[in-house]
Amino acid sequence: PVAYRTGAEPPRVIEAEEPLGAAFDEAARLSGEEGLLAVIAPASLRGDGETALFDDTRIAVLTPREAKGMEFDHVIVAEPALIVEEGRERGLRELYVALTRPTTTLVVVHSRPLPQELGLYLVPAAAAAGVDDNERDDRGEGDERPADQECFSC
C-alpha cells in the first residue's frame, strides 16, 4: 500500500537516540506547511494530562487506534517498534493504520530497530556514488551495511 498520494515526497525515516526530540523537531519543521499535522505515537510515549510528552494544544497527538479513520496532510510516526509491541497481536495492524494516515508527508522517527515487516532499505552507498546495482556482487559489496543486516530508508 502507498502511504502517501502521488506527487507527495517519499516517506522519510529518521533514526535518533531521542526519538521524541526528533519528532518535535519534525513537527516544528512541518508546522509551517499547509494542512493538518499529527504525531502518531504509542500510548506509553504519548502519556495523558500532565504526564503527556507532547503538546496536544497545537498538534494532534494520537495513538494508532485514535487515528483510525482519520486523514492528515502530514504525519510523524514515533517509534514504530513500540507501536507493534504495545499492540500485541494487533500491533502490525496498528502500525499499518499509523503509516497510512498521511496524504502528503510521512516521517518515521525511531531509536529501536524498525520492524522487519516494513521492508525499508537504505540507498546503498554504492548507489549514491553512482555504482550500478549490477556492478555489485551478491554479497552486497558496496552497501553501507553487510547484506545480512537490515537496512532502512532515509
Side-chain angles (χ1 to χ4, degrees):
V2 177
Y4 59 97
R5 293 192 176 147
T6 303
E9 62 184 69
R12 292 186 28 228
V13 178
I14 300 170
E15 184 173 3
E17 286 184 33
E18 298 291 332
L20 296 177
F24 281 130
D25 291 345
E26 287 300 308
R29 184 182 72 79
L30 290 168
S31 66
E33 299 289 324
E34 186 176 320
L36 297 173
L37 168 65
V39 172
I40 300 178
S44 65
L45 292 184
R46 182 180 141 188
D48 286 317
E50 292 184 23
T51 63
L53 297 173
F54 293 101
D55 182 1
D56 259 346
T57 61
R58 291 185 211 141
I59 56 172
V61 182
L62 307 165
T63 64
R65 285 184 188 169
E66 293 167 338
K68 189 173 182 176
M70 296 180 167
E71 183 175 271
F72 300 92
D73 298 285
H74 314 285
V75 172
I76 302 161
V77 176
E79 210 59 273
L82 195 52
I83 289 173
V84 172
E85 182 181 308
E86 289 181 10
R88 297 187 179 110
E89 67 277 350
R90 299 186 54 86
L92 287 173
R93 289 181 184 154
E94 290 190 10
L95 180 57
Y96 174 83
V97 167
L99 295 172
T100 57
R101 300 304 91 201
T103 60
T104 305
T105 308
L106 172 62
V107 179
V108 176
V109 181
H110 70 99
S111 62
R112 295 176 172 209
L114 292 171
Q116 265 187 320
E117 292 83 357
L118 289 181
L120 299 174
Y121 300 94
L122 279 173
V123 174
V131 176
D132 187 349
D133 278 345
N134 295 328
E135 296 176 24
R136 293 185 292 145
D137 66 24
D138 292 338
R139 295 172 295 148
E141 192 104 347
D143 284 351
E144 289 180 304
R145 299 182 190 196
D148 59 12
Q149 272 191 338
E150 292 180 302
C151 295
F152 309 104
S153 177
C154 292

